[in-house]
Structure formats: C-alpha cells, structure tokens
Amino acid sequence: MISNKTIGRLSLYRRLLKDVINDNQRNIYSHELAGLAGATAAQVRRDIMNIGYSGNPNRGYDARELATSIGNFLDHPDGQRAALLGVGNLGRALLAFFSGRRPKLSIDAAFDIDPKKFGRVIHGCHCYSTEDLATVIPEKNISIGIITVPANEAQKACDNLVRIGIHGILNFAPVPLKIPSNVYVEDIDMTMSLEKVAYFARTATSGGK
Amino acid sequence: MISNKTIGRLSLYRRLLKDVINDNQRNIYSHELAGLAGATAAQVRRDIMNIGYSGNPNRGYDARELATSIGNFLDHPDGQRAALLGVGNLGRALLAFFSGRRPKLSIDAAFDIDPKKFGRVIHGCHCYSTEDLATVIPEKNISIGIITVPANEAQKACDNLVRIGIHGILNFAPVPLKIPSNVYVEDIDMTMSLEKVAYFARTATSGGK
DNA sequence: TGTTGTGAATCTCTTCACAGCT
DNA sequence: AGCTGTGAAGAGATTCACAACA
C-alpha cells in the first residue's frame, strides 16, 4: 500500500519532469529531482521504487520513461472527470485554474443554486442547477467532487455527492466533512494555512514542516 | 517546540469553538471537540496540553477560555498583516475570501504588474504596482506574503518578498520555492490535491491520509 | 462514574548507509 | 567513481492505557 504523501510527491515529480523534458534533458539523477522538488535523494528513490520503476546506476532515471510510469500509476486510463459545486469567486477561479490543464483530469460540470448562473458557460464549463446533480453526474461519468460552496452548505453538498456515489472530494469549505469510510476527502483549508504561516513567520528561524 | 500539525489543528479547534460558543455551550469534552474536528480525543487533549491550557476532569474544557488560550498562542498581540502578489482570478477570490474574516490577520495590500489594476480597490484592498513593494510593505508593517502569480513568476515574487524581510509565505503557485532557512513557506498545491483525490477515489475504500 | 493529563507503546514516515551495478 | 535499490535505524506523530481527580 502506497502512502498519501508519496502520491502527492509523485504528482509533483511528474510536473517537474515535464519541464526537464521540455529542456531536452534525457536523464535525471535522484538528487537532481530532489533539488527541484525540495526533497531528499533517498526520498525520491524510495518514492520511485514504490511505483516499480527502475533507474540505471550510471545514467540515473530516463526522464520521459519516468514521467510515463508516474502517469500510468496516477492516472485512470480513461481519464476522470470532476464536478464543481458552488460557482462563487473561488469556484470561478478554480474553473479558470484547472481549465485545459490536464487531459486525463478535467472539470466537466459546475453547479450552483443561483438561477442566474444556470446555462452559463464559465471558463469552458457548463453551469447547471444543483437539482440536476443526480442526472448530470452519472450522465457525464463524473467521479470527483470539488466543494466551493459557503461553509454552512458544505455538508449538504457533500452528502449529495456521496449519495450519488462519488468517492473522492476536494473540499475548500473551512469545515470538516462527515463522510462514510469509503469516501476520500482532501481538505484545502486556506484559513488554517494562513494562520500557520502567521505563526511560523513570528517564531522566525524555520519553524515547522 | 510545537509541531506544524498541532498548529494547524489548533487553528481548526478555535474555529469550531466559536460555533460552540455561539450555541451557548459552556463546556466541551475532548471527545466532543474531536468529533467536530475529525480527530481523536487523545489527540485533542495532547494538542491542548501543548499550549499549557488545562481542563477540568469533571466538566471538560471551558469553551470560551480554551478559545482565548488558543488565540493567545496563535495570534500576535498586535495582529499581523499580509500582502497578496498577483491579482488574477485566484488572487481576487482570496481577497474576497479573507476580507474581514479575522481582525488579527488581514490582507492589507495587493500587488500586480498590470497598470490597469493600480489604484483599484478590490474587496476592500488597495492594489499597488509591484514596483512599490519595498516601500508599501514596511510602511504598512506587513509580515506575510501570499503568492498568487503565475508559476513562471513565482520564484521572482518570492525573492522580492524575502529581500524585503518577509519571513512567512503562503504559496499558491504550483512550483516549489527556493528560500533561505529562516523563511517559512506553506504551499497550497491545488493540482497535487486534485490528483490525490483522483487517485484515492479510484483505489476506493478509504485510501490514505 | 467519567473525565483530564501524560508516560509508554505503537505506528508511520524519513533518512542512513551500503551492497551491487555500470 | 558515482549512481540506484533497499534493509535497517532513526525521528516524528499518534494512540494506548491508566493514575489522579472531581
């Protein structure tokens, strides 16, 4: 079983490898990738070991092969699609941010309760009424939910997603969601992050992490 | 020394305690707070122990006192101010999100390179030219930077902040920043988070974390 | 009885260190 | 000589389990 932390770093390595490949660099050593990622060489080697890819003691890793191996590991062969719930300031920013970024992972529908938004296309994404959730999500074969509704509506949004059979949720609302154990939630708690920065900025010389 | 993870949870506990206090609940047990926070009772007790606050074996913790203790621990007595670099979609969403949220922690200046934005006030925050960074930041006594510029400009933005003497940075750009060891960076890597969700949504029954 | 506070045990993640390879 | 792959050690975080207490 592969850990949450390793998955996160693999995602980062792949992104860094794309730049390396674009610069026409063929091979990369664990310590080079570690330098780019802010990790240690041993960490990089172990992460790569975990997905079963092997380098060469002389030339390090083949950048292109490694990126492909990570892709095979992280991506679903048919791709995966996400729905965004809550087309406010943050929701729209995310639609812009993720638009066309990864072919195997796209936001394919947005939902809101405000009728003025129904039918609009925002950064290439069609906006539906929340009432259509149960029909649009299976129809578009969506397997991931992104919650950007206000805090007081987040649990309801989550419950709706879970009821339809969504197993993965990215939650931007600053409240812990109650979910059954077969659903994975990743929280992005910006308030918490900012308060951490404030704390460690004070305690000065290199606080935690 | 208190850990990064503990600081994060304390921030969360405080937010949850506000709701509890608003509901006129006087006392709270570690297992109740744990339930709200999605943690264990032992975890909550240890975190609270770390900041030196004590409960009562009969009544648990005094909600109001505990919230105050966490505040004394997390907040700077004079408050702290942040600057946001990069007034794009995400930057504007953050200005809206954090506007007036916490009195002791506010975004007091925004910076961009686009002259059309200079002088505008966005969600209550004045927008300056990036060239004015070195004058506005000391003037407003800002100690925290928030980076929402495009990936290829993030390191430059970071370097500018560090040069002016900023010790804490919240980084939304999807690149690891190179910083001296006396600066604390908290990364919010939305791409990584979404890819994690995609992965664990597949491997189904409660992947990692 | 049911809670807190906490030493000790456990679990998880990271780093060390080196054999084996090219 | 300098790298990878990896067992083993180490560090860090969480949970257990129970004495002390109201």
Side-chain angles (χ1 to χ4, degrees):
Chain A
M1 189 45 190
I2 202 158
S3 83
N4 183 302
K5 297 246 182 98
T6 295
I7 298 295
R9 282 188 301 260
L10 287 169
S11 159
L12 174 59
Y13 299 158
R14 169 165 65 174
R15 221 182 312 148
L16 297 168
L17 284 168
K18 290 209 176 112
D19 296 341
V20 167
I21 292 165
N22 273 344
D23 293 350
N24 286 317
Q25 184 180 340
R26 282 291 174 92
N27 300 287
I28 189 164
Y29 295 121
S30 60
H31 66 261
E32 292 180 289
L33 188 48
L36 296 173
T40 65
Q43 181 87 84
V44 168
R45 291 204 300 276
R46 195 166 286 278
D47 288 335
I48 292 173
M49 193 185 86
N50 276 324
I51 61 167
Y53 180 73
S54 280
N56 176 303
N58 222 11
R59 279 168 285 119
Y61 302 95
D62 181 303
R64 204 174 288 267
E65 273 183 24
L66 177 53
T68 304
S69 290
I70 295 175
N72 290 340
F73 189 84
L74 289 184
D75 296 336
H76 189 285
D78 304 334
Q80 278 166 284
R81 286 147 298 282
L84 182 135
L85 276 65
V87 187
N89 288 304
L90 184 59
R92 281 193 301 271
L94 293 184
L95 289 174
F97 185 83
F98 285 116
S99 175
R101 191 160 288 234
R102 296 201 51 66
K104 297 254 175 187
L105 192 46
S106 53
I107 303 181
D108 278 25
F111 295 87
D112 205 287
I113 50 166
D114 178 359
K116 283 198 289 287
K117 290 170 185 158
F118 303 165
R120 278 181 57 194
V121 175
I122 299 161
H123 299 293
C125 185
H126 195 279
C127 186
Y128 299 88
S129 162
T130 305
E131 291 178 9
D132 299 334
L133 211 60
T135 56
V136 174
I137 282 187
E139 197 175 285
K140 296 207 165 203
N141 195 16
I142 284 170
S143 60
I144 294 166
I146 302 175
I147 295 183
T148 47
V149 301
N152 58 321
E153 290 173 30
Q155 185 60 55
K156 201 173 64 189
C158 171
D159 293 344
N160 286 337
L161 288 170
V162 169
R163 185 161 350 102
I164 301 171
I166 295 288
H167 290 287
I169 295 175
L170 182 59
N171 175 41
F172 284 84
V175 284
L177 299 175
K178 293 190 177 25
I179 38 135
S181 71
N182 63 339
V183 175
Y184 177 84
V185 173
E186 177 83 17
D187 290 299
I188 293 188
D189 188 332
M190 302 187 299
T191 304
M192 176 193 290
S193 295
L194 185 59
E195 293 196 344
K196 271 174 153 179
V197 172
Y199 178 83
F200 286 113
R202 293 212 309 283
T203 65
T205 35
S206 187
K209 197 52 93 26
Chain B
M1 190 46 190
I2 201 157
S3 83
N4 184 301
K5 297 246 181 98
T6 295
I7 298 296
R9 284 189 300 262
L10 287 169
S11 158
L12 175 60
Y13 299 159
R14 168 164 67 173
R15 222 183 310 148
L16 297 166
L17 284 168
K18 291 211 174 111
D19 296 342
V20 167
I21 293 165
N22 273 343
D23 293 350
N24 284 318
Q25 185 181 338
R26 283 291 177 89
N27 299 288
I28 189 164
Y29 295 121
S30 59
H31 67 261
E32 292 180 290
L33 187 49
L36 296 172
T40 65
Q43 181 88 84
V44 168
R45 292 204 298 278
R46 194 165 287 277
D47 288 336
I48 292 173
M49 194 187 85
N50 276 323
I51 60 166
Y53 181 73
S54 278
N56 177 304
N58 221 12
R59 279 168 284 116
Y61 301 96
D62 181 301
R64 202 174 290 265
E65 272 182 25
L66 177 54
T68 304
S69 290
I70 295 175
N72 290 341
F73 188 84
L74 290 184
D75 296 336
H76 189 284
D78 305 333
Q80 278 165 283
R81 286 146 299 282
L84 182 137
L85 275 64
V87 187
N89 289 303
L90 184 58
R92 282 192 300 272
L94 293 184
L95 289 175
F97 185 84
F98 285 116
S99 175
R101 191 159 288 232
R102 296 203 50 67
K104 296 254 177 185
L105 193 47
S106 53
I107 303 182
D108 278 24
F111 295 87
D112 205 287
I113 50 164
D114 179 359
K116 284 198 288 290
K117 290 170 185 158
F118 303 165
R120 279 182 55 195
V121 175
I122 298 161
H123 300 292
C125 185
H126 195 279
C127 186
Y128 299 89
S129 162
T130 305
E131 292 178 9
D132 299 334
L133 212 60
T135 55
V136 174
I137 283 189
E139 196 176 285
K140 296 207 165 204
N141 195 15
I142 285 169
S143 61
I144 294 165
I146 302 175
I147 294 182
T148 48
V149 301
N152 58 321
E153 290 174 30
Q155 184 62 54
K156 201 173 63 188
C158 171
D159 293 344
N160 286 337
L161 289 170
V162 169
R163 185 159 351 101
I164 302 171
I166 294 289
H167 289 286
I169 293 175
L170 182 59
N171 175 40
F172 284 84
V175 284
L177 299 175
K178 296 193 174 23
I179 38 138
S181 71
N182 64 338
V183 175
Y184 178 85
V185 173
E186 176 83 18
D187 289 299
I188 293 188
D189 188 331
M190 303 187 299
T191 305
M192 176 192 292
S193 295
L194 184 59
E195 293 195 344
K196 270 174 155 179
V197 171
Y199 178 83
F200 287 112
R202 292 212 311 280
T203 63
T205 35
S206 188
K209 198 47 95 29

